[in-house]
Amino acid sequence: MERTEIVLGNVRGEIQLFSDDQKAGKMDISVIGKKLTVYHTEVNPEHEGKGFAKILLERLVSYARENDLKIVPLCPYVHLQFKRHPDEYNDVWLKED
């Protein structure tokens, strides 16, 4: 069974994904004001190919929506997903010029 946790310190933190109570992946994030920046997505090699990055992305987006935040996708994976599915993410995607 997979579960996620959001661990935020002062500004920086992680969205952590656990599978069978073992950490399987994470996203490095920061929240400043109404801006949520995602820097990196990582899934442990033994858990690759199971859709875990997508689970992390869904948790990131739902957290942003729940807290009225806009996402700055510096992470290549998140940025690519936003570009591929703009209609799905337009409401949370902060497009900086």
Side-chain angles (χ1 to χ4, degrees):
M1 180 71 200
E2 287 74 52
R3 66 181 170 84
T4 57
E5 286 183 18
I6 296 181
V7 180
L8 272 175
N10 233 358
V11 170
R12 293 188 68 96
E14 294 181 342
I15 298 175
Q16 301 174 346
L17 173 68
F18 295 88
S19 178
D20 299 324
D21 288 327
Q22 292 186 325
K23 192 170 175 185
K26 68 177 179 115
M27 281 183 159
D28 295 326
I29 63 170
S30 70
V31 177
I32 299 173
K34 290 292 183 182
K35 191 185 296 188
L36 189 166
T37 303
V38 55
Y39 301 97
H40 178 70
T41 301
E42 181 178 312
V43 174
N44 297 348
E46 63 270 19
H47 296 289
E48 289 177 358
K50 298 180 182 177
F52 285 3
K54 180 74 172 168
I55 292 171
L56 284 164
L57 176 62
E58 289 169 358
R59 186 62 187 109
L60 173 80
V61 171
S62 67
Y63 182 79
R65 287 179 177 140
E66 291 163 10
N67 293 280
D68 195 30
L69 302 172
K70 295 290 186 180
I71 298 171
V72 179
L74 298 183
C75 165
Y77 169 75
V78 175
H79 190 251
L80 181 63
Q81 293 304 313
F82 278 23
K83 283 177 61 175
R84 282 186 180 162
H85 310 284
D87 292 345
E88 198 172 332
Y89 302 116
N90 259 343
D91 63 318
V92 293
W93 185 4
L94 180 61
K95 298 175 185 167
E96 296 184 311
D97 297 327

